[in-house]
Amino acid sequence: MNFLIVQSHPEATSYNAQLTGAAQRALSTSGNEVVISDLYAEGFDPVEAGRHYRNRIDASAFVPLAEQRHASDTHTLPQDVVAEIAKLEAADVVILQFPLWWHGPPAILKGWFDRVFVSGKIYRSRMRYDTGYFKGKRAVLSVTTGAPETAFGPGARGGEMSTMLWPIQYSLHYLGFSVLAPQCHFEASGHGYGYGDELETKRRLEQNIDNWSSRLAHIADEDPLNFPGWASWDEAGRSISRAEQDVC
Ligand SMILES: Cc1cc2nc3c(=O)[nH]c(=O)nc-3n(C[C@H](O)[C@H](O)[C@H](O)COP(=O)(O)O)c2cc1C
């Protein structure tokens, strides 16, 4: 199978980079092809802006959706975006590897979504959700946190993981991916920022890497998370079951 790992961390010796390296080794050893998009190393520009478009449909006002669609139709998409789309198209499974920064993904990964998932090419009104462009492909988040596992949950100090990951996981579902349960590597801060004993932390982080590598061996057989699809909504986009409930 073909795997794409999108790595969003500025430091090549970080725990995130170690997770990416371990995933690459485990997957390659079992005969898979692995491609890595290392967004910081590649200098990926996450800021969507008019300067990326060389053949503007309207030079006087930058309307992102219009320029994306026009650039796609006229084959003038920015080269870095074209390269990322090609990697996604070749992948059977996409892994997004990132640290939790301010209760969400780092800005570089959010900007990768903004720029790479091009309106008109990657999604259109009826080419979304369970009829999305990437239907048949799988996606999984591998997320590191600073806070310990006990601090995550409804009302807990660190927030609820499913809520914090919802925008990115729902966007992947919007694009047609089957989204698998995230792999969370809690309390991943090394470099003196950990909460516990340093040796114990090192062992735990190594164990996390082994757990992740073991999971990857069977990731193609996992059942995806459940998200609503077109059959779940009425013409106005309301949930059919909720619309039935919300009668007054
Ligand atoms: C800008 C920034 C924001 C952060 N926000 C959070 C957060 O919201 N929740 C959390 O648990 N950890 C947070 N952290 C801690 C990182 O998640 C943690 O340091 C990282 O996962 C460790 O992996 P690394 O060694 O690969 O950087 C934040 C760190 C930074 C630099």
Side-chain angles (χ1 to χ4, degrees), residues 82-112:
V82 170
E84 293 303 308
I85 291 173
K87 288 186 249 181
L88 284 159
E89 287 176 339
D92 301 299
V93 182
V94 176
I95 298 169
L96 302 185
Q97 177 64 57
F98 62 91
L100 197 66
W101 279 6
W102 291 115
H103 316 106
I108 201 165
L109 183 57
K110 171 59 168 63
W112 181 80

Side-chain angles (χ1 to χ4, degrees), residues 9 14-16 99-103 144-147 152 188-189:
H9 198 290
S14 64
Y15 188 54
N16 274 264
L100 197 66
W101 279 6
W102 291 115
H103 316 106
T144 65
T145 76
F152 292 95
S189 290

Side-chain angles (χ1 to χ4, degrees), residues 3 20 42 59 71 73-74 103 111 121 126 131 140 143 150 160 198-199 224:
F3 284 75
T20 292
E42 289 164 17
D73 290 347
T74 55
H103 316 106
K121 176 173 176 63
R126 279 283 151 184
T131 53
V140 59
V143 189
T150 49
E160 198 172 350
E198 223 168 277
L199 194 61

Side-chain angles (χ1 to χ4, degrees), residues 16 38 75 139 153:
N16 274 264
D38 188 337
H75 307 287

Side-chain angles (χ1 to χ4, degrees), residues 1-8 33-39 42 44 77-97 108-119 121-123 132-141 168 171-173 175-179:
M1 294 181 81
N2 295 325
F3 284 75
L4 170 64
I5 307 178
V6 181
Q7 154 84 356
S8 303
E33 290 295 323
V34 185
V35 169
I36 297 176
S37 269
D38 188 337
L39 299 185
E42 289 164 17
F44 183 80
L77 282 169
Q79 269 317 303
D80 55 351
V81 167
V82 170
E84 293 303 308
I85 291 173
K87 288 186 249 181
L88 284 159
E89 287 176 339
D92 301 299
V93 182
V94 176
I95 298 169
L96 302 185
Q97 177 64 57
I108 201 165
L109 183 57
K110 171 59 168 63
W112 181 80
F113 271 70
D114 295 346
R115 293 195 54 223
V116 172
F117 297 122
V118 171
S119 175
K121 176 173 176 63
I122 305 292
Y123 65 94
Y133 189 76
F134 294 113
K135 189 173 169 60
K137 298 181 189 291
R138 294 168 162 246
V140 59
L141 310 187
I168 189 163
S171 299
L172 290 165
H173 165 59
L175 296 159
F177 286 102
S178 295
V179 183

Side-chain angles (χ1 to χ4, degrees), residues 39-234:
L39 299 185
Y40 281 95
E42 289 164 17
F44 183 80
D45 181 350
V47 179
E48 177 59 310
R51 65 175 181 274
H52 296 301
Y53 298 89
R54 63 181 188 274
N55 175 32
R56 292 270 296 266
I57 194 169
D58 182 350
S60 64
F62 177 59
V63 180
L65 293 178
E67 294 299 347
Q68 289 188 355
R69 182 172 289 250
H70 179 66
S72 167
D73 290 347
T74 55
H75 307 287
T76 56
L77 282 169
Q79 269 317 303
D80 55 351
V81 167
V82 170
E84 293 303 308
I85 291 173
K87 288 186 249 181
L88 284 159
E89 287 176 339
D92 301 299
V93 182
V94 176
I95 298 169
L96 302 185
Q97 177 64 57
F98 62 91
L100 197 66
W101 279 6
W102 291 115
H103 316 106
I108 201 165
L109 183 57
K110 171 59 168 63
W112 181 80
F113 271 70
D114 295 346
R115 293 195 54 223
V116 172
F117 297 122
V118 171
S119 175
K121 176 173 176 63
I122 305 292
Y123 65 94
R124 289 172 182 269
S125 56
R126 279 283 151 184
M127 189 174 71
R128 294 183 292 167
Y129 306 105
D130 43 342
T131 53
Y133 189 76
F134 294 113
K135 189 173 169 60
K137 298 181 189 291
R138 294 168 162 246
V140 59
L141 310 187
S142 173
V143 189
T144 65
T145 76
E149 183 168 8
T150 49
F152 292 95
R157 189 181 72 221
E160 198 172 350
M161 194 55 85
S162 58
T163 311
M164 294 186 286
L165 299 184
W166 188 87
I168 189 163
Q169 296 202 134
Y170 197 68
S171 299
L172 290 165
H173 165 59
Y174 183 103
L175 296 159
F177 286 102
S178 295
V179 183
L180 306 178
Q183 186 81 11
C184 298
H185 313 272
F186 296 102
E187 207 178 337
S189 290
H191 304 287
Y193 282 93
Y195 290 78
D197 173 73
E198 223 168 277
L199 194 61
E200 191 277 324
T201 301
K202 189 169 178 289
R203 282 205 198 100
R204 190 173 43 75
L205 295 184
E206 282 167 4
Q207 185 61 52
N208 274 350
I209 291 180
D210 290 347
N211 295 346
W212 177 222
S213 300
S214 306
R215 181 182 169 196
L216 286 171
H218 307 286
I219 205 126
D221 307 321
E222 288 185 12
D223 288 332
L225 300 173
N226 272 322
F227 285 98
W230 287 107
S232 319
W233 304 308
D234 67 13

